[in-house]
Amino acid sequence: MNDVVIDCLAVDKVPGMYYLPVFFEPLKIVPLLERVLAQSPLRHMETSRGFKLSAAMSNCGVLGWVSDRKGYRYEAIDPLTGNAWPKMPVEFSGLAIQAAKTAGYENFSPDVCLINCYKPGAGMSSHRDSDEADFEHPIVSLSLGLPARFFVQGRERKGPSVPLDLASGDVVVWGGESRLFYHGIRPLKAGDAPVFENQRFNLTFRKAG
Ligand code: MD3
Ligand code: FE
């Protein structure tokens, strides 16, 4: 199912975080991702303060992460289509479960795959992922397309950050102490990636419900 497990590296200064360089062949994802996005298209969600997020987003799975004027939460229905979110392809959940297991997190069973799409200039400011019901479950992320610089702070949204460059096919697993650390993505630099062209996708797998 997976292809090229090269390594599983504990990340210095970020306990519970593991970096799995080129864990997955990114082109295998493309037709599955296209099928999901045909059902629930990418969209720029609004924040409670009325700003649009610079990354376009969608979801697949039993639940999906949404943001609007009412705030952030997980919802079973896609507000754009009025339908349930597309099913999570078994290839997606399989890769997430396997990555979690490789990093030492057994029994991970994601019910959400949040899809983020960045174009040049788009990023994500420092935040924590705290909308899930149980923080004992790790989060698994897969990067696709253009590379990006990710940064992790700590329990607080200040102080020095640890940088990590994420390339297409890289997987990162966050559990344990790092699960609630502040983190973000620096604005994307322009480029031309195979198939993904001038975009970066990031898939995060979560157990939200
Ligand atoms: C560290 N996405 O969707 S993935 C997000 O590349 C998000 O799209 C970024 O942050 C992206 O919330 C980074 C990596 C990630 C995801 C969850 C984490 C890092 C995390 C939870 C805790 C600590
Ligand atoms: Fe996050």
Side-chain angles (χ1 to χ4, degrees), residues 50-67:
F51 296 108
K52 288 258 164 85
L53 296 170
S54 69
M57 296 178 174
S58 186
N59 294 273
C60 59
V62 177
L63 295 170
W65 186 85
V66 297
S67 178

Side-chain angles (χ1 to χ4, degrees), residues 36-43 58-59 66 76-86:
V36 165
L37 296 178
Q39 278 184 65
S40 274
L42 292 167
R43 80 294 302 263
S58 186
N59 294 273
V66 297
I77 300 295
D78 177 353
L80 186 65
T81 65
N83 301 322
W85 297 101

Side-chain angles (χ1 to χ4, degrees), residues 40-103:
S40 274
L42 292 167
R43 80 294 302 263
H44 291 276
M45 295 183 189
E46 223 178 337
T47 67
S48 56
R49 296 171 151 219
F51 296 108
K52 288 258 164 85
L53 296 170
S54 69
M57 296 178 174
S58 186
N59 294 273
C60 59
V62 177
L63 295 170
W65 186 85
V66 297
S67 178
D68 60 19
R69 295 305 290 250
K70 288 179 269 174
Y72 312 134
R73 67 204 169 273
Y74 285 96
E75 293 266 15
I77 300 295
D78 177 353
L80 186 65
T81 65
N83 301 322
W85 297 101
K87 278 204 166 62
M88 193 185 312
V90 292
E91 293 85 349
F92 283 23
S93 45
L95 124 80
I97 289 165
Q98 208 194 331
K101 196 173 279 183
T102 304

Side-chain angles (χ1 to χ4, degrees), residues 124 127-129 183 206:
M124 196 175 279
H127 68 278
R128 326 192 282 164
D129 293 19
H183 60 274
R206 301 141 188 268

Side-chain angles (χ1 to χ4, degrees), residues 116 118 127 129 150 174 178-179 183 185 200 202 206:
N116 297 151
Y118 301 80
H127 68 278
D129 293 19
F150 171 83
W174 284 269
S178 69
R179 175 65 183 74
H183 60 274
I185 290 284
R200 170 178 184 261
N202 183 268
R206 301 141 188 268

Side-chain angles (χ1 to χ4, degrees), residues 114-153:
L114 170 64
I115 300 160
N116 297 151
C117 176
Y118 301 80
K119 296 240 161 83
M124 196 175 279
S125 58
S126 191
H127 68 278
R128 326 192 282 164
D129 293 19
S130 57
D131 301 323
E132 300 74 24
D134 180 353
F135 305 133
E136 292 303 306
H137 300 291
I139 293 182
V140 174
S141 106
L142 169 66
S143 292
L144 302 163
L146 288 183
R149 173 152 287 197
F150 171 83
F151 64 91
V152 203
Q153 293 175 296

